Amino acid sequence: MIILAGLMSLFFAMNIGASGAAASLGVAYGSGAIPKKRHALLICGVAIFLGAVLGGSEVVKTIGEDLIPSSLLNANIVLIILSSAALSLFIANLMGIPLSTSEITVGSVVGVGVAYKSIFIGHILWIVFFWVLIPFISFGIALAAGKMIIRAERKYNWLKASKSQRYLSVFVIVVGFFEAFSAGMNNVANAVGPMVGANLISMNSGIILGGLAISVGAMLLGGRVLQTNGKKIVQFSKLEGGIISSIGATLVTIASIFGLPVPLTQVTSTAIIGIGVAKNGMVLFKKQMIHRIIKVWIVSPVLSLVISYCLVQLFIKNDFYNVLVLTSVCIATLGTLSLVKSIKEDSRSVYEDGGGI
């Protein structure tokens, strides 16, 4: 069970990388600062690993200790938590939707706590409060910045000159790197927090292995979600892309320092929407992609909570351990097949994008 839980943790981490790629480098790719998809994914992977190793411990403690009593966590429960979260996330990856791994992981942990009637409600409400607050802050800052950018570009023509564009490209890539770094700080806990909380792996080993798996997932599987955030929502100038990445990097880094698991994709996506509203008005909200993203955001934590609650009731409390193992193997097998399919499709899209492989 411990080995199976570890494998599920690594599988989940790869899916986190696939989903988080768009949230960190999608704006740099969409603005044209990084023209080739494979380059954006490589930068994303390196930055995520560094962020996980250097700054991921505080959020790991929150996921492993501050949502439910750590005494509830064992190999069986960890397997249920990770299976519930992984199933929710990989479905979203198949849809090409940037999903918050923090929401589904917290939902899965809370589902276990509800099943055992033991949760730290104060900590959970505090986290949910910031889930709501931070995307609104991101949207507001981006909307105000977008309007200022429009006025500045109209007034100062040199901002659109080729020399200025080269400097802006460097700026966008740098802040995109640090946003991916912040993604590693915040998201590694979602994959290894339950394992560390159950004392199935040490903090340092968990962060290194989890960060590596997330990095690999971003580089191999992040192309589809990268395309969604970078191209399908709204087109960006380089200055706009830099502002979006700066907002995401700043807010998520601050949250990570205080151990708050926050929805990185929501922070970045709402910043993207804020810039889009500044440019195009409220008509942007009529786009089907925006509607679909919002629906998944709402459903994802509830879905993962219900899945984990039902798995505890069915498999743990009724002692169906063999069924639990079989179910987890089926989830991992289906997930692996979908990952292989995604690798093939993303490889073809990289060729079409002119980036090689």
Side-chain angles (χ1 to χ4, degrees), residues 30 53 59 61 64 77 113 119 124 126 136 146 156 166 169 179 187 215 223 229 261-262 302 341 345:
V53 172
V59 187
K61 292 177 184 176
I77 294 297
I119 58 175
I124 294 169
W126 187 245
F136 276 101
Y156 304 108
R166 288 196 295 270
S169 293
E179 187 183 9
N187 282 342
S215 176
N229 263 32
V262 295
V302 178
K341 180 180 178 182
E345 292 180 357

Side-chain angles (χ1 to χ4, degrees), residues 35 68 107 126 145 170 297 315 337-338 354:
I68 63 175
W126 187 245
V170 175
W297 284 349
F315 298 141
L337 291 175
S338 74

Side-chain angles (χ1 to χ4, degrees), residues 134-155:
I134 290 179
F136 276 101
I137 293 175
S138 177
F139 175 84
I141 295 173
L143 179 61
K147 292 180 177 179
M148 293 176 62
I149 290 171
I150 292 172
R151 289 196 293 267
E153 289 181 340
R154 288 174 180 172
K155 186 175 181 180

Side-chain angles (χ1 to χ4, degrees), residues 238-259:
K238 291 182 174 64
L239 183 56
E240 291 164 345
I243 293 299
I244 291 169
S245 290
S246 298
I247 293 171
T250 302
L251 292 177
V252 174
T253 298
I254 292 172
S256 300
I257 291 172
F258 289 97

Side-chain angles (χ1 to χ4, degrees), residues 17 44 136 146 306:
C44 177
F136 276 101
V306 171

Side-chain angles (χ1 to χ4, degrees), residues 23-296:
S24 52
L25 265 295
V27 291
Y29 173 66
S31 69
I34 305 177
K36 294 182 179 181
K37 188 183 298 184
R38 68 186 180 95
H39 293 165
L41 295 175
L42 178 61
I43 294 171
C44 177
V46 172
I48 282 176
F49 178 75
L50 292 176
V53 172
L54 298 178
S57 60
E58 290 303 316
V59 187
V60 170
K61 292 177 184 176
T62 298
I63 295 292
E65 301 173 4
D66 293 345
L67 302 179
I68 63 175
S70 57
S71 59
L72 293 180
L73 296 175
N74 54 43
N76 298 326
I77 294 297
V78 169
L79 185 57
I80 283 179
I81 291 171
L82 295 174
S83 297
S84 303
L87 182 60
S88 301
L89 182 58
F90 106 4
I91 291 173
N93 285 343
L94 290 179
M95 297 169 61
I97 295 295
L99 181 64
S100 169
T101 56
S102 297
E103 287 187 355
I104 62 174
T105 303
V106 172
S108 297
V109 175
V110 172
V112 170
V114 171
Y116 283 99
K117 298 182 175 64
S118 182
I119 58 175
F120 297 139
I121 188 66
H123 291 164
I124 294 169
L125 291 177
W126 187 245
I127 291 171
V128 172
F129 170 73
F130 278 96
W131 283 357
V132 176
L133 178 63
I134 290 179
F136 276 101
I137 293 175
S138 177
F139 175 84
I141 295 173
L143 179 61
K147 292 180 177 179
M148 293 176 62
I149 290 171
I150 292 172
R151 289 196 293 267
E153 289 181 340
R154 288 174 180 172
K155 186 175 181 180
Y156 304 108
N157 292 328
W158 57 267
L159 286 173
K160 297 181 179 180
S162 58
K163 184 176 181 180
S164 298
Q165 291 299 305
R166 288 196 295 270
Y167 288 124
L168 287 174
S169 293
V170 175
F171 166 66
V172 167
I173 294 170
V174 170
V175 296
F177 178 91
F178 282 106
E179 187 183 9
F181 183 91
S182 71
M185 290 179 67
N186 207 267
N187 282 342
V188 70
N190 299 321
V192 302
M195 295 278 292
V196 174
N199 292 319
L200 301 180
I201 192 172
S202 68
M203 174 74 76
N204 291 337
S205 297
I207 287 176
I208 292 173
L209 292 176
L212 182 61
I214 294 174
S215 176
V216 171
M219 290 187 288
L220 293 181
L221 308 169
R224 193 178 306 181
V225 178
L226 181 75
Q227 188 76 15
T228 296
N229 263 32
K231 301 292 187 181
K232 292 184 180 180
I233 297 180
V234 67
Q235 298 294 319
F236 313 107
S237 68
K238 291 182 174 64
L239 183 56
E240 291 164 345
I243 293 299
I244 291 169
S245 290
S246 298
I247 293 171
T250 302
L251 292 177
V252 174
T253 298
I254 292 172
S256 300
I257 291 172
F258 289 97
L260 290 170
V262 295
L264 171 62
T265 51
Q266 291 187 27
V267 174
T268 303
S269 295
T270 49
I272 291 171
I273 294 170
I275 292 289
V277 170
K279 293 176 65 176
N280 305 317
M282 300 303 291
V283 69
L284 182 69
F285 286 99
K286 295 181 180 180
K287 283 197 171 187
Q288 184 178 3
M289 181 59 65
I290 300 295
H291 295 166
R292 190 156 60 134
I293 289 173
I294 292 174
K295 289 177 182 177
V296 173

Side-chain angles (χ1 to χ4, degrees), residues 2-12 82 195 332:
I2 293 175
I3 293 174
L4 191 57
L7 292 175
M8 184 63 71
S9 175
L10 295 177
F11 167 70
F12 184 38
L82 295 174
M195 295 278 292

